[in-house]
Structures are given as C-alpha cells and as structure tokens.
Amino acid sequence: MKSKIIFIALIGLLALESCKNTESDVLQQARLTQQGLVSKKQSLMTELDNRYKQVEQEIAAASTSVSPDTTHDISSEILFMEEEKSAIDELRDKVENWAITNIVLLPEPGQLKNDPKFKDLKDEDLLKMVKDQDSIFSILKSEIENELLLYEDF
C-alpha cells in the first residue's frame, strides 16, 4: 500500500512539474539572460561597495600616519581618496538608477499574459528586450570600470 501511495505521489509531482514548465525555450532563455543580468548588476554593486570600504580604510590609515614632515603629502592623498569615495558613490547611484529605469523584470511563469506590459509581446520580443538590456548594461559596466581605473595608480 505504501509503495502505491509513493508511486502515485511521484506521478503527481512529475505531472505538476511538466505543467509548470510550459514556457517556450525562447522565454526560458529570456529568463536566464535576465537572471544573468541581475547577477552582473549585483556583482558590480558589490565590487563598488568593496572598493568604497577599501578607500575608507585607506583614508583612516593615512589619517593616523600624519606627521609634521608628511602633512602636506598625506593631506593631498586624503583629498584624492575622498574624491574617489565621492566618485564611487556617484557610480553606485548611476548603476542603481540605470537598473530602476532599464531593467523590466519578467513576471513569474504563467503570469506573462496577465501583465499589461507583456501580454501583447511574443517570446522573441521578450528575449530581444532582455538581450538589449544586457548589452546596454555591459556598456555601462565598461564605462564604470574605466572611471575606476582613473583612481588606480594614485
């Protein structure tokens, strides 16, 4: 009796899983691409946060190592690091604002046709939209990395 119940439960789970995954391959690719985009955005934000913390620590270390002989040099170094902190803050805001404005998250599976933004779009249109978002983000990420490079050698 137990084995029959387990067998029926297993069949039920398999049937449920097959019903749940009725999205086309194109739509599944769009979801995967979007998940990758969100991960890349989060990774960039983490990188910026870590850089910010590192600069804060460098400022604290430089502030404690001030001596009469090096006051001028350290003061200009601290000012430069403060500028870097401000730049990182602006870059974080730029990424967040870009994400808010440009990343249009796909609704949960099965909810696409109920969402007014998506109900008239074909799966191919959704994939193109997500790929375009990803391409634009790649450009933004390159710009941000180039801006960070300005502070590397100082």
Side-chain angles (χ1 to χ4, degrees), residues 1-15:
M1 182 71 171
K2 253 186 179 178
S3 62
K4 285 182 183 180
I5 293 174
I6 292 173
F7 179 73
I8 291 171
L10 183 59
I11 296 294
L13 286 174
L14 289 174

Side-chain angles (χ1 to χ4, degrees), residues 1-131:
M1 182 71 171
K2 253 186 179 178
S3 62
K4 285 182 183 180
I5 293 174
I6 292 173
F7 179 73
I8 291 171
L10 183 59
I11 296 294
L13 286 174
L14 289 174
L16 181 63
E17 187 63 32
S18 68
C19 290
K20 189 170 86 172
N21 198 8
T22 59
E23 292 188 328
S24 71
D25 290 343
V26 173
L27 191 51
Q28 289 176 12
Q29 185 180 0
R31 288 190 187 285
L32 286 173
T33 302
Q34 189 165 70
Q35 288 172 352
L37 170 60
V38 171
S39 293
K40 287 189 270 188
K41 180 251 177 198
Q42 189 56 45
S43 175
L44 180 58
M45 290 301 293
T46 300
E47 181 182 332
L48 289 169
D49 290 342
N50 290 342
R51 181 84 176 258
Y52 188 88
K53 290 174 189 171
Q54 177 187 357
V55 172
E56 280 185 326
Q57 291 171 350
E58 290 171 2
I59 290 171
S63 297
T64 59
S65 65
V66 174
S67 68
D69 298 338
T70 61
T71 302
H72 179 67
D73 293 339
I74 292 191
S75 295
S76 60
E77 185 178 326
I78 291 172
L79 282 174
F80 183 77
M81 287 186 281
E82 289 290 344
E83 286 177 26
E84 182 177 4
K85 262 180 53 177
S86 293
I88 293 169
D89 262 339
E90 290 174 17
L91 294 173
R92 289 192 303 197
D93 288 344
K94 187 175 183 177
V95 173
E96 284 297 335
N97 290 334
W98 182 90
I100 290 168
T101 305
N102 293 289
I103 297 179
V104 180
L105 294 175
L106 299 173
E108 294 296 317
Q111 298 299 315
L112 268 174
K113 300 305 176 195
N114 299 333
D115 191 312
K117 290 183 279 188
F118 300 103
K119 70 179 182 180
D120 295 329
L121 296 176
K122 296 177 183 173
D123 292 355
E124 291 79 13
D125 297 332
L126 293 172
L127 178 58
K128 182 184 180 325
M129 177 190 77
V130 172
K131 282 185 173 183

